[in-house]
Amino acid sequence: MRTAVMCAALAAVFAASSVGAQTLNLTESEALARLSTTDSPRTRAIRAAVDITRVDVLAAGRWPNPRLTFDREAVAGITEHMLMVAQPLPITGRRGLDVKAASALVSASSSRVDDELRRLRADLRIAFADVVAAQTRERELSSARDRLRGLAGVIAKREEAGDVAGFDRLRADREVLDIDTDRGIAATERARAQALLASFLADVADPSRILAVDRSRAPAAIPPLEALVEQAESSRGELLALRQEIESARFAERAADRRWIPEPEVVAGTKSSSVGGGDIGSVFTVHATIPLFDHAHPERALAIARGSQAEARVIAFRQTLRGQIAALRTAVIERRDAAERYRAQAVNTADQIERIAQVSYDAGERSILELLDAYRTGSTARVRQAALDASVRQAEIELEFASGWEVQ
């Protein structure tokens, strides 16, 4: 009975460890879906900026509180009591304009939040592409190491038979060591890329479990520059936010002009006196501030300055945006061409070069150094292709963020 219980406990432990060691396969779309959930701390932190700006709308739209006053006056044996309630009446429309100005700033904040979320998604995609590239490098170097180990084993047997010199085996073993060292460095880079990707995801406790699944796709046609710029000017959150700031400044300027109109304060209450048996009467007063010295010049100047600043920033942003999109579009086109040329001229011929070198070495026509150089050339070509593909993907993501163009 005790043996059965121990076996069951060990089985449970092994089952739990195997579950914890399971690989987490993630596509790019699945990683983005995890980022978009409400559980993502980064997403919540970015969206919180809008909630903060909404407070300004509440502050601008609130009514002033009434003021309660109690007054007691006593002189020459006569005592009077007054109980009054004063209520300011914001009837000039300034309060509504302040609310509209604050609401426009909330819209601006919301647009900037959308841009920040798009930037966050773009950073996640770049991190995902880095994991894919790191996995490819490590996988290729592991494959090259295994092929060289097999070659070293064959050379060792031929050395025992006296067919080759000991130098060939030693040189092959050294090449295996060098490739395995490169693979170790690639594994470190893969772990770093996995940790960076996991930092975007709230529910991944062990980054080493992440396996980025790259779904190959045909490259999408890139729209013309003018179409990309037009798309960016209609969708970029920063540009929309600046336009909303201009609208807010206009409302604030109109609100400053309303300060010339006095806003009344109505006072109503009761008054009692010890004379005449303590009769109680009514009190009604209207107060108004005369704009004799304060003409709201600072508020109006501030609104005009903010509007001018936003307009200047719109012009500067549009100029910068056009140049940025043009540069990124050129980068995508050139990197795609470079990656395809390298794939056709280097990667696709790597296996053929290795086979020719192997046959020539077996026939005694080439040295071990030439054979190992062929193996390393093929491995280097495949690793470089992974870096080229990653650079293409990074340029596509940056162009998508800058222009709002969705790369399918």
Side-chain angles (χ1 to χ4, degrees), residues 67 69 84-89 91 262-268 283-290:
R67 184 172 67 253
T69 303
M84 297 173 291
V85 177
Q87 175 63 57
L89 299 179
I91 60 175
E263 291 189 339
E265 182 181 25
V266 178
V267 181
V283 177
F284 181 79
T285 307
V286 176
H287 298 288
T289 300
I290 300 176

Side-chain angles (χ1 to χ4, degrees), residues 56-390:
D56 295 333
V57 178
L58 297 177
R62 64 186 174 185
W63 270 68
N65 290 324
R67 184 172 67 253
L68 179 64
T69 303
F70 175 76
D71 185 81
R72 180 182 182 276
E73 297 180 1
V75 61
I78 301 175
T79 303
E80 295 180 343
H81 296 87
M82 287 187 294
L83 181 63
M84 297 173 291
V85 177
Q87 175 63 57
L89 299 179
I91 60 175
T92 61
R94 190 181 67 195
R95 173 174 160 271
L97 292 172
D98 287 338
V99 170
K100 290 180 180 179
S103 299
L105 291 180
V106 172
S107 300
S109 177
S110 179
S111 297
R112 286 196 172 93
V113 163
D114 292 340
D115 236 16
E116 289 185 37
L117 290 175
R118 291 182 61 249
R119 180 69 260 176
L120 183 63
R121 290 166 60 89
D123 291 341
L124 182 144
R125 289 179 171 182
I126 292 174
F128 185 90
D130 288 342
V131 174
V132 171
Q135 290 175 172
T136 304
R137 286 195 297 270
E138 184 182 11
R139 182 169 58 249
E140 173 51 39
L141 290 172
S142 297
S143 177
R145 179 201 58 190
D146 294 341
R147 292 196 304 270
L148 285 171
R149 279 179 176 173
L151 175 64
V154 172
I155 292 177
K157 293 180 180 179
R158 294 179 62 183
E159 180 191 9
E160 293 177 357
D163 295 337
V164 297
F167 172 80
D168 290 5
R169 178 185 60 78
L170 293 174
R171 187 63 184 82
D173 290 341
R174 173 59 184 273
E175 192 69 19
V176 171
L177 177 62
D178 290 343
I179 292 293
D180 192 47
T181 301
D182 293 340
R183 184 208 58 79
I185 297 174
T188 302
E189 290 298 315
R190 184 257 308 153
R192 180 199 60 80
Q194 286 174 323
L196 179 60
L197 179 59
S199 68
F200 290 88
L201 311 175
D203 54 349
V204 178
D206 185 7
S208 63
R209 295 173 49 215
I210 296 177
L211 177 63
V213 180
D214 182 30
R215 293 181 176 176
S216 58
R217 57 195 178 279
I222 303 176
L225 176 60
E226 294 301 328
L228 291 174
V229 172
E230 181 180 358
Q231 173 68 22
E233 291 185 350
S234 63
S235 62
R236 280 298 301 269
E238 179 62 23
L239 193 56
L240 296 176
L242 290 174
R243 290 168 179 165
Q244 287 153 353
E245 286 182 355
I246 295 174
E247 182 181 3
S248 174
R250 290 171 181 168
F251 283 123
E253 183 180 357
R254 291 173 57 189
D257 292 337
R258 296 291 179 92
R259 289 180 177 270
W260 280 81
I261 305 174
E263 291 189 339
E265 182 181 25
V266 178
V267 181
T270 61
K271 179 179 180 180
S272 63
S273 176
S274 60
V275 179
D279 293 337
I280 298 177
S282 61
V283 177
F284 181 79
T285 307
V286 176
H287 298 288
T289 300
I290 300 176
L292 184 60
F293 302 108
D294 184 7
H295 296 167
H297 289 321
E299 291 80 2
R300 192 172 189 276
L302 179 60
I304 294 175
R306 285 180 174 175
S308 299
Q309 181 189 42
E311 290 174 354
R313 290 176 63 188
V314 165
I315 297 173
F317 186 82
R318 291 181 63 185
Q319 292 177 348
T320 304
L321 184 63
R322 185 180 186 86
Q324 183 182 20
I325 292 175
L328 289 172
R329 184 178 183 274
T330 301
V332 171
I333 294 174
E334 293 181 352
R335 290 183 185 184
R336 281 183 177 180
D337 292 342
E340 289 305 318
R341 284 198 309 270
Y342 195 82
R343 181 178 286 105
Q345 299 176 12
V347 177
N348 293 341
T349 60
D351 293 338
Q352 183 179 1
I353 292 175
E354 290 178 2
R355 287 195 301 270
I356 293 174
Q358 184 70 56
V359 172
S360 299
Y361 175 76
D362 292 340
E365 299 175 357
R366 296 187 183 276
S367 67
I368 185 63
L369 297 179
E370 293 174 301
L371 175 60
L372 296 177
D373 180 70
Y375 274 94
R376 179 171 283 277
T377 298
S379 175
T380 302
R382 298 183 187 95
V383 171
R384 182 171 297 169
Q385 185 64 56
L388 290 173
D389 292 339

